[in-house]
Amino acid sequence: MSDAILRGAAPAYDDAEKGALDVQIRPVEVALPSEKKDKDLTVASVMPVPAEKKEPQSAPKSASKPPKKKVSKWILWQLWYNTYRKLFTITFSVNMILFGFAVSGHWSYAKKYGGAMAVGNFNVSILVRNEIFGRLLYLFVNTLFAKWSPLKWRLGCTSVLQHLGGIHSGCAISGIIWITLDVVDTYRNHVNESNSALALGLMANIALIVTAVAGFPWVRNTHHNVFERWHRFMGWSALFLSWTFVILGDLWDTTTKTWNLGTAHIVRQQDFWYVMGMTLWIVLPWICTRKVRIDIELPSNKVAVLRFERGMQQGLLGRISRSTVKEYHAFGIISEGTHAKYHYMVCGVQGDFTRSLVNDPPKMIWTRELKLAGVSNTSTLYKRGIRICTGTGIGAALSTCIQSPYWYLIWIGSDQEKTFGPTISGLINRNIEPERYLLWDSKVRGGRPDTRKILKEVYHSWKAEVVFITSNYVGNSEMMQACKEEKIPCFGTLWDFALTMRSAVIFRIIASLI
């Protein structure tokens, strides 16, 4: 791969991609608040932005930032206690009620089969994070309920699919509590237990706790490499230790204090099959891991645009890594459809991994051929919708608007063509009609827009049913709050690392209620 290819546009465009290098952006004119004081911010049809007139000895005018509106505590509470936390609450509460029956002596089954209760929870926890299961679940919902079912039902389906992590977390924490109970019971009965089971039970418990701590939002989002290494590798260690601990418990006869190594005895144990299922869910996605050739376009030092072979359906995320098993990072996939020759990922420079894509572009990269379904994959459920994004969020949003004529694209950022290059610009201009997108260049227009007014206006004029948001934490919060206040159904990026900010909000709400 030559330097010209690495630093310029990707090579070998076929007939379907001709014109990507010579297309100019056609921004849509939006009236600023200062220009129309008596009207809301409105989207005009297809008015090109006029050339900026330079006035001597005068600073360029900038759009005045709209005053920050105070958000009600009820809306803040609704956004914080989202479906993720609701699913976690339900899952964890049911487990703790059953746990209470077990430790109080009212449920002998759970006391006798504590290992089965633990690995049963781990099974569900791992399954809902499995890419294959996720794709099948999205396919089931999108096939059965698209367009015709009540809007509230479709919104509920999208919300549950987006927040399946609540079940993952709830079952994982519950499983650790169940296996802790099993280990404690084993130590209480240590006279009749094997020494190997005692040691492995303690090691499994410690490994599971470390795995859970490494998966905490603050660790996952502020120390991603620590999360990748500890959550994954310690998780595999915990899987092996739990596997061994449970199987040894099945093989050891506490009455005779001997090992029962018969195959027939093992396969009759329910927790054996739980462990087998748990192992299968973990291994399956890794079977799809491949090292593939890529072309990289570097339109600026802020972004790397990766080009892969074959087309994709909309609403998918791809995991990529320079290593076989370490540091996989997920990015939105842009494609013109399953018939297309290529699909793309827009990787904004934010950390060591993405910076290395710009400073040392690879020719080959590891990826999982089976892609992960994202919330945008449920866009087929809705008759019409809006996809709003900022900056590199265009990577997760663009494919939906390219592949569906009923979705409206709003992008907010700076120097779209210069930052993302001719390939992304060409995809927009070839596939999305001018009346279906609004590209807001903050440099040309003198600052960021009032997203509340834009969303309200476009939502009603486009007759949309839902808004999907991809932005940074602050932008996502502002737009989600605005949509909630305007009673616009919306789904935003799951930003859960700002623990201090959100905890402070919740503490203020609780304090005011007290």
Side-chain angles (χ1 to χ4, degrees):
M1 188 181 302
S2 66
D3 291 339
I5 292 173
L6 291 174
R7 299 292 170 184
Y13 285 86
D14 62 2
D15 291 338
E17 292 192 293
K18 284 181 179 177
L21 305 181
D22 56 2
V23 174
Q24 299 297 321
I25 297 252
R26 293 168 296 180
V28 180
E29 180 62 29
V30 175
L32 294 173
S34 58
E35 297 172 336
K36 294 187 179 183
K37 297 181 180 179
D38 57 335
K39 294 184 180 180
D40 286 345
L41 190 60
T42 57
V43 181
S45 298
V46 195
M47 294 291 292
V49 178
E52 185 177 351
K53 295 181 179 180
K54 295 183 179 180
E55 298 180 6
Q57 299 178 351
S58 176
K61 296 180 180 179
S62 60
S64 58
K65 189 176 180 180
K68 192 172 182 180
K69 188 175 180 181
K70 189 176 181 181
V71 184
S72 72
K73 293 173 182 177
W74 173 241
I75 288 178
L76 292 177
W77 169 257
Q78 284 181 301
L79 291 174
W80 183 84
Y81 195 61
N82 55 16
T83 306
Y84 182 103
R85 289 179 171 82
K86 290 173 184 174
L87 292 175
F88 178 89
T89 301
I90 294 170
T91 306
F92 187 73
S93 298
V94 169
N95 269 281
M96 290 305 96
I97 291 171
L98 298 177
F99 182 81
F101 283 121
V103 296
S104 63
H106 292 85
W107 194 22
S108 58
Y109 170 86
K111 288 285 287 184
K112 184 178 179 180
Y113 298 104
M117 296 297 295
V119 293
N121 271 283
F122 293 144
N123 252 282
V124 178
S125 176
I126 295 168
L127 181 62
V128 297
R129 282 298 197 204
N130 182 278
E131 283 96 332
I132 298 174
F133 176 78
R135 290 290 297 275
L136 290 174
L137 200 57
Y138 273 80
L139 178 63
F140 174 81
V141 172
N142 290 335
T143 302
L144 290 186
F145 305 118
K147 311 291 193 297
W148 68 268
S149 56
L151 179 58
K152 285 188 177 181
W153 172 259
R154 286 177 279 146
L155 292 171
C157 288
T158 298
S159 186
V160 170
L161 289 173
Q162 184 189 25
H163 296 95
L164 284 174
I167 299 176
H168 169 77
S169 302
C171 285
I173 300 300
S174 300
I176 293 174
I177 294 174
W178 280 112
I179 203 169
T180 301
L181 175 64
D182 196 33
V183 171
V184 169
D185 286 342
T186 303
Y187 270 84
R188 282 178 176 172
N189 193 33
H190 67 276
V191 176
N192 299 318
E193 297 288 351
S194 66
N195 292 331
S196 56
L198 294 172
L200 284 166
L202 183 61
M203 292 168 63
N205 219 38
I206 293 173
L208 286 166
I209 292 171
V210 172
T211 302
V213 171
F216 278 11
W218 180 80
V219 178
R220 185 171 67 246
N221 291 284
T222 58
H223 302 281
H224 185 80
N225 290 348
V226 173
F227 158 71
E228 282 277 348
R229 292 164 187 166
W230 285 93
H231 192 72
R232 175 172 297 144
F233 295 117
M234 189 59 74
W236 288 346
S237 301
L239 167 67
F240 174 76
L241 293 169
S242 301
W243 220 112
T244 312
F245 172 65
V246 171
I247 298 304
L248 287 179
D250 290 338
L251 297 178
W252 180 258
D253 190 329
T254 56
T255 305
T256 62
K257 297 183 181 179
T258 58
W259 296 101
N260 187 350
L261 301 176
T263 305
H265 171 72
I266 295 175
V267 297
R268 283 198 296 266
Q269 307 303 312
Q270 57 182 325
D271 42 7
F272 168 81
W273 293 106
Y274 281 142
V275 171
M276 289 295 292
M278 183 171 63
T279 306
L280 180 64
W281 310 144
I282 291 177
V283 171
L284 272 178
W286 291 97
I287 295 175
C288 306
T289 302
R290 299 286 187 276
K291 193 173 187 179
V292 299
R293 180 172 296 279
I294 60 170
D295 292 307
I296 297 184
E297 178 183 343
L298 302 175
S300 67
N301 58 2
K302 299 177 182 179
V303 169
V305 179
L306 280 59
R307 191 181 77 179
F308 298 78
E309 297 289 335
R310 76 189 177 101
M312 293 279 177
Q313 62 171 283
Q314 63 84 32
L316 300 182
L317 303 172
R319 300 183 191 272
I320 58 174
S321 174
R322 285 180 177 266
S323 169
T324 314
V325 296
K326 292 193 301 182
E327 298 180 18
Y328 273 81
H329 300 260
F331 297 94
I333 292 175
I334 303 174
S335 178
E336 293 174 290
T338 54
H339 64 278
K341 188 175 181 179
Y342 304 112
H343 67 272
Y344 306 86
M345 292 183 188
V346 175
C347 305
V349 175
Q350 294 179 341
D352 294 338
F353 175 77
T354 48
R355 190 175 297 111
S356 71
L357 295 176
V358 174
N359 297 336
D360 181 24
K363 296 181 180 180
M364 305 284 289
I365 205 161
W366 287 94
T367 185
R368 293 186 187 176
E369 293 287 88
L370 183 70
K371 306 306 180 185
L372 180 69
V375 66
S376 290
N377 196 247
T378 64
S379 63
T380 55
L381 290 176
Y382 304 97
K383 298 173 184 176
R384 300 172 79 84
I386 299 170
R387 201 65 175 84
I388 184 169
C389 57
T390 61
T392 55
I394 197 170
L398 184 54
S399 198
T400 298
C401 299
I402 287 177
Q403 296 187 30
S404 173
Y406 304 108
W407 279 76
Y408 192 101
L409 173 67
I410 301 174
W411 176 81
I412 302 168
S414 176
D415 288 336
Q416 189 265 333
E417 185 172 12
K418 182 179 179 182
T419 301
F420 299 108
T423 298
I424 302 302
S425 299
L427 288 169
I428 293 173
N429 286 277
R430 287 200 310 273
N431 296 282
I432 306 178
E433 302 82 6
E435 61 271 14
R436 273 205 305 123
Y437 67 76
L438 164 61
L439 306 180
W440 182 285
D441 190 322
S442 57
K443 283 190 175 179
V444 174
R445 299 172 184 269
R448 293 175 64 87
D450 187 335
T451 52
R452 175 190 297 272
K453 290 187 176 181
I454 286 181
L455 282 170
K456 182 180 178 181
E457 176 69 22
V458 176
Y459 176 77
H460 292 294
S461 63
W462 186 247
K463 295 181 173 58
E465 290 185 321
V466 68
V467 174
F468 286 168
I469 303 166
T470 303
S471 184
N472 56 30
Y473 177 74
V474 175
N476 183 79
S477 298
E478 289 179 353
M479 286 186 267
M480 290 283 286
Q481 291 166 11
C483 286
K484 284 290 183 182
E485 289 192 327
E486 299 294 340
K487 301 188 184 305
I488 297 174
C490 63
F491 297 95
T493 312
L494 296 180
W495 288 98
D496 52 5
F497 67 87
L499 188 62
T500 304
M501 293 176 64
R502 292 194 307 186
S503 296
V505 170
I506 299 305
F507 289 149
R508 287 199 300 269
I509 294 173
I510 294 173
S512 65
L513 294 175
I514 295 174

